Amino acid sequence: MTHQVHIIGGGMAGSEAAWQLARRGIHVRLSEMRGGGDRTPAHNGDGLAELVCSNSFRSDDDEKNAVGLLHYEMRQCDSLLMAAAAKARVPAGSALAVDRDVFSAEVEAALRAQPTLELVRERVDVLPSDGLTIIATGPLTAPSLATNIGAATGADSLAFFDAIAPIVYRESIDMEVAWMASRWDKGAEASLAMGGDGRDYINCPMTKDQYLAFREELLAGDKTEFKEWEANTPYFDGCMPVEVMAARGVETLRFGPMKPVGLDNPHWATEEHPNGRWPYAVVQLRQDNKLGTLWNMVGFQTKLKHAEQVRVFRTIPGLEQAEFARLGGLHRNTFLNSPTLLDRQLRLKSSPHIRFAGQITGCEGYVESGSVGMLAGLMAAAQIAGRTWTEPPRTTALGALLSHITGDAEAESYQPMNVNFGLFPPLHDVKKKARKEAYTERAKSDLVGWLGTLA
């Protein structure tokens, strides 16, 4: 098959870009090194769009949440990832979480069904010298290609560490100690609609003494040692290892992933408090597959060595006999200084036949990565059709994220960024309490006209 666009990388961004092009009848070569004899430090298999960290796409609230709005906008663009997520969805309150195996299988099946798409299991070591290309190799770009990209851009790639949270077998959790509830019962209606019972998190409670002892174990636990060239690589705050958070202060975890507010422990019920009382701290687990047999430890990304993870995490009340389907890990992420290197159409300024998409551009998060891949695919489709590309309005989630990546961010301090309302043009004439709804209402209205420019 003679291809019109070569996409390198079959993760979230590459898969979405391939879908947007192939469904328009454009011939695509999708190169993915996994399955061709190569692996990454974080992936477990060869499936396209494999989720390697959390199984959550975060909030699905498109009226008050920026990432929920991004979900909405991607659905309006016929996103493959959003369609696959709908089929793979598992209960998670107001969040959109998926069975990661079902999700990956749905994405790959949809792409394989496209007659103009060729999936090739191969590693690409150098940037193509010509032809429309989308680089969507993500934060785990093969070292050979990463070196070639660095040489082509004339700048060193930035890097940070991303840590993976453990997954626990549900049957090994002691529910005589833990209990099921969502914070403040938030998202109960959405959960019930998805077949859940409105109590979508398993909560493991701690007293003050237990919390302080646990923090000390995190600090003292044997951790993965960095190589010399890795020692000064910064972490991304949105995926901070739990022991790094613990080192930032005694109370940091209690105001982060171990926040106990809104969670009444029924095991601690008394005549005075029949619904129970809040623990001093809590460890939450979220369903990770449709069967409900696997649960991931929310916010517990870690660089503890595997044996230490088992030892330390089994000190958590309710997890004393925990069996782990996957232990946490640590991998190095790389990304471009995109505001300096890319133009407004995600093209490499020095080689405009090449576009970059996904996390390698410095966006952070599954959904953000997929949305930038979607935009790269739409841009390439417009170019092939000879149509003038129209940017999504900056008042939309798509437009705000794209603008941040391609020039609105400060290049000197550029860091990975999730979509958030801080990226949107401000609304000064709206009361603070109603501002989120106003942002989303404006975005949905402005999106309509832009959708009409797509073919």
Side-chain angles (χ1 to χ4, degrees), residues 48-126:
L48 299 182
E50 180 185 336
L51 308 182
V52 300
C53 191
S54 168
N55 70 322
S56 175
F57 292 171
R58 313 195 316 279
S59 175
D60 202 34
D61 181 356
D62 61 20
E63 294 183 354
K64 296 182 180 179
N65 190 284
V67 74
L69 176 62
L70 189 57
H71 293 177
Y72 170 88
E73 294 179 7
M74 291 178 70
R75 289 175 179 130
Q76 302 310 302
C77 297
D78 189 28
S79 165
L80 170 60
L81 300 182
M82 287 295 103
K87 294 180 180 179
R89 190 166 189 171
V90 297
S94 57
L96 173 58
V98 301
D99 180 312
R100 63 185 76 225
D101 294 328
V102 174
F103 175 77
S104 175
E106 289 288 341
V107 170
E108 186 156 338
L111 290 175
R112 287 188 178 278
Q114 294 298 310
T116 60
L117 186 141
E118 179 185 18
L119 174 60
V120 184
R121 300 293 184 166
E122 61 180 355
R123 191 184 73 205
V124 177
D125 292 326
V126 298

Side-chain angles (χ1 to χ4, degrees), residues 289-302:
N289 65 345
K290 277 186 176 293
L291 294 175
T293 55
L294 301 177
W295 290 69
N296 63 65
M297 298 174 67
V298 178
F300 266 64
Q301 302 87 358
T302 182

Side-chain angles (χ1 to χ4, degrees), residues 253-334:
L253 289 172
R254 290 187 65 242
F255 287 88
M258 297 181 69
K259 181 170 57 178
V261 298
L263 292 167
D264 292 321
N265 182 358
H267 298 310
W268 293 356
T270 63
E271 187 174 326
E272 184 181 1
H273 302 288
N275 295 324
R277 299 291 285 167
W278 294 355
Y280 187 79
V282 68
V283 174
Q284 288 196 303
L285 295 95
R286 178 177 56 224
Q287 186 174 333
D288 200 79
N289 65 345
K290 277 186 176 293
L291 294 175
T293 55
L294 301 177
W295 290 69
N296 63 65
M297 298 174 67
V298 178
F300 266 64
Q301 302 87 358
T302 182
K303 61 190 181 78
L304 289 171
K305 291 185 176 180
H306 283 183
E308 284 293 80
Q309 290 181 46
V310 175
R311 183 185 69 81
V312 173
F313 294 152
R314 282 180 176 170
T315 67
I316 296 170
L319 300 186
E320 292 90 347
Q321 304 299 320
E323 297 294 333
F324 297 90
R326 183 189 73 186
L327 289 164
L330 186 70
H331 56 275
R332 184 176 189 263
N333 284 351
T334 58

Side-chain angles (χ1 to χ4, degrees), residues 28 31 67 86-87 137 151 206 209 220 266 273 276 282 286-287 297 304 317 320 327 351 357 374 377 406 433 436 451:
V28 177
S31 298
V67 74
K87 294 180 180 179
T137 47
M206 287 187 181
D209 287 345
H273 302 288
V282 68
R286 178 177 56 224
Q287 186 174 333
M297 298 174 67
L304 289 171
E320 292 90 347
L327 289 164
S351 300
M374 184 180 75
T406 59
K433 287 186 177 180
K436 292 179 180 178
L451 291 172

Side-chain angles (χ1 to χ4, degrees), residues 126-390:
V126 298
L127 295 173
S129 59
D130 56 21
L132 290 183
T133 303
I134 297 175
I135 306 296
T137 47
L140 299 174
T141 299
S144 53
L145 182 57
T147 299
N148 186 252
I149 292 171
T153 59
D156 293 333
S157 291
L158 302 177
F160 63 96
F161 281 108
D162 195 4
I164 301 173
I167 294 177
V168 178
Y169 287 106
R170 168 66 172 80
E171 63 184 11
S172 70
I173 302 172
D174 184 356
M175 297 306 293
E176 295 295 319
V177 176
W179 82 102
M180 295 194 68
S182 295
R183 198 182 308 280
W184 303 113
D185 294 325
K186 186 176 181 181
E189 291 184 8
S191 169
L192 291 169
M194 285 303 305
D197 63 2
R199 301 174 299 159
D200 291 337
Y201 293 83
I202 294 176
N203 302 280
C204 299
M206 287 187 181
T207 64
K208 182 176 181 179
D209 287 345
Q210 289 171 330
Y211 169 77
L212 294 175
F214 177 70
R215 177 177 176 270
E216 290 301 318
E217 291 286 359
L218 287 176
L219 296 176
D222 195 9
K223 302 169 183 68
T224 302
E225 294 183 4
F226 298 143
K227 298 177 182 178
E228 182 178 352
W229 57 269
E230 298 173 324
N232 295 320
T233 305
Y235 294 102
F236 170 57
D237 284 344
C239 210
M240 185 76 62
V242 65
E243 60 276 2
V244 174
M245 285 187 278
R248 292 191 169 185
V250 174
E251 296 291 281
T252 302
L253 289 172
R254 290 187 65 242
F255 287 88
M258 297 181 69
K259 181 170 57 178
V261 298
L263 292 167
D264 292 321
N265 182 358
H267 298 310
W268 293 356
T270 63
E271 187 174 326
E272 184 181 1
H273 302 288
N275 295 324
R277 299 291 285 167
W278 294 355
Y280 187 79
V282 68
V283 174
Q284 288 196 303
L285 295 95
R286 178 177 56 224
Q287 186 174 333
D288 200 79
N289 65 345
K290 277 186 176 293
L291 294 175
T293 55
L294 301 177
W295 290 69
N296 63 65
M297 298 174 67
V298 178
F300 266 64
Q301 302 87 358
T302 182
K303 61 190 181 78
L304 289 171
K305 291 185 176 180
H306 283 183
E308 284 293 80
Q309 290 181 46
V310 175
R311 183 185 69 81
V312 173
F313 294 152
R314 282 180 176 170
T315 67
I316 296 170
L319 300 186
E320 292 90 347
Q321 304 299 320
E323 297 294 333
F324 297 90
R326 183 189 73 186
L327 289 164
L330 186 70
H331 56 275
R332 184 176 189 263
N333 284 351
T334 58
F335 62 96
L336 298 174
N337 194 318
S338 296
T340 299
L341 299 172
L342 304 184
D343 69 10
R344 292 290 185 176
Q345 289 197 41
L346 297 168
R347 294 175 297 203
L348 188 60
K349 293 176 182 177
S350 60
S351 300
H353 67 286
I354 296 174
R355 284 185 170 87
F356 283 85
Q359 282 188 261
I360 197 169
T361 66
C363 65
E364 179 63 25
Y366 295 140
V367 182
E368 289 86 342
S369 179
S371 70
V372 177
M374 184 180 75
L375 288 170
L378 292 172
M379 291 167 181
Q383 184 174 345
I384 290 169
R387 291 186 288 104
T388 299
W389 167 254
T390 302

